Amino acid sequence: MSNRYAVILAAGQGTRMKSSLYKVLHPVCGKPMVQHIVDQVSAIGFQEKIAVVGFGAEVVQNQLGDQLSYVVQGEQLGTGHAVMQTASLLEDKKGTTVVLCGDTPLLTAETLNQLLATHDVEKAKVTVLTANAENPTGYGRVIRNAEGLVERIVEQKDATEEELSVQEINTGTYCFDNAALFEALTKVGNDNAQGEYYLPDVIEILKKQGETIAAYQTADFEETLGVNDRVALAQAEKVMKRRINEYWMRQGVTIVDPEHTYISTEVVIGQDTVIHPGVSLQGKVSIGANCEIGSNTEIKDSSVGDQTVIRQSVVHDSEIGKNVNIGPFAHIRPQSAIADDVRIGNFVEVKKSTLGQGSKASHLSYIGDATVGKDVNFSCGAVTVNYDGKNKFKTIIEDGAFIGCNANLIAPVTVGKKALVAAGSTITDDVPGDSLSIARSRQTNKPDYLKNQS
């Protein structure tokens, strides 16, 4: 197998997106478009990967990091001009160069492998990835001769009426013999409607030289979708979402309503887990086996253990153990760790806290900046008062403690092992283990109070 090089075109500003965000960084199922392409290319194996950047170059490099080399296309003078910017890195090398667009997030490694295989079998100087489009408007047309061989590719704005009727389109992805590519690029002109240097012109140049031109037509047009505006971005999101959801259903996950379930590309889900409608799993999420994720739950960058049930709740940047029951309407905020067999009920908020095995906060409580031991019970309305307006303070509640209804624990404070805090108490001092702490005013009744006011 010859050396392989990948060139990813990511220099366009994307004015039709009407956005301050660089086009190829717009996310599809939680991941920037260009990152999708880089991930698929990386799955194949190339000796060198190069991104051609322009507008927003620094932001793109920050996203992709050191997994690629970079060249800058200062002026946007067309795709041929963009590839020429890689000459200092590639033009003297032998092998196969694949050129891809950074705004085609649905392209898969499988299709790229088929393209490379076709290129090798045909011993071609260039192999074009094509697709059949019901509505080819906006795409370059693949023009074949009477024998069915590729003659040239014509851009939409330069095509005749007859050429515009062709439905086989150029996807913008190519395999080139590297030496032939850079030799032909020196002959590409800009005598066209856009005044640009088109990469597809290389095909006609090589054809005139008698070189073999091949094409691989993918059966899945959707995979080749290029994203140039928000409408196409939504289409790509829909296709990617369907692809991800179908994958997990085939892995033994029940997704009740795939059309209304959002799962990012980095999610991992165990078998026999049930995902209800409206669920959103964002970023790096790991969900165990035999879990149930209720409708309209949002989980982001978190892990969830086996046999856990989460209903109508939000979990961000946290670790949830096994056999945990959360919700409905709970909020698990970042840096929280919920151990096995814990119950977090309705309208409970947990922030930057750990709850030990078997502990319970069943309703209407706030637990912030707290370390909670095993088998602790929070009654309704209990609050760890962690913020004085300037600083956050820690609450420690040891194993087996019982916090009564509407109790306020003013941090920093420690409630000892198996201590009991009476309902309605405001605790400002440490509570020893095995103690009952009552911190509330004595009740005073004034008979006939209202009568005496008249």
Side-chain angles (χ1 to χ4, degrees), residues 337-348:
I338 311 300
D340 299 346
D341 306 311
V342 168
R343 167 76 171 113
I344 304 290
N346 53 295
F347 303 105
V348 173

Side-chain angles (χ1 to χ4, degrees), residues 155-296:
E155 296 300 316
Q156 166 91 20
K157 293 182 179 180
D158 300 310
T160 65
E161 286 299 318
E162 182 180 0
E163 290 167 340
L164 287 173
S165 68
V166 173
Q167 290 185 295
E168 186 178 14
I169 56 98
N170 172 27
T171 68
T173 299
Y174 314 87
C175 270
F176 292 99
D177 174 90
N178 191 68
L181 168 64
F182 283 95
E183 182 183 353
L185 279 171
T186 63
K187 302 173 184 178
V188 172
N190 65 344
D191 184 17
N192 51 61
Q194 293 290 93
E196 294 183 350
Y197 298 89
Y198 293 149
L199 183 60
D201 287 354
V202 168
I203 295 170
E204 192 169 355
I205 292 168
L206 294 175
K207 185 69 176 178
K208 288 179 179 178
Q209 293 175 358
E211 303 291 359
T212 300
I213 311 299
Y216 172 71
Q217 185 178 113
T218 176
D220 185 3
F221 169 72
E222 288 182 329
E223 188 175 332
T224 69
L225 178 69
V227 176
N228 290 309
D229 58 23
R230 306 289 181 131
V231 174
L233 183 67
Q235 292 172 337
E237 181 86 13
K238 184 176 181 179
V239 173
M240 183 69 76
K241 182 179 73 171
R242 184 179 69 236
R243 184 187 294 176
I244 292 169
N245 290 353
E246 287 179 357
Y247 171 82
W248 285 115
M249 287 187 285
R250 292 192 176 99
Q251 300 304 309
V253 176
T254 294
I255 300 178
V256 176
D257 185 357
E259 289 295 316
H260 299 93
T261 300
Y262 174 91
I263 301 174
S264 83
T265 58
E266 298 175 292
V267 171
V268 177
I269 311 173
Q271 289 184 356
D272 292 317
T273 284
V274 178
I275 309 291
H276 289 275
V279 167
S280 180
L281 306 179
Q282 306 171 16
K284 294 182 179 180
V285 173
S286 173
I287 297 177
N290 296 288
C291 294
E292 183 175 0
I293 310 301
S295 297
N296 303 313

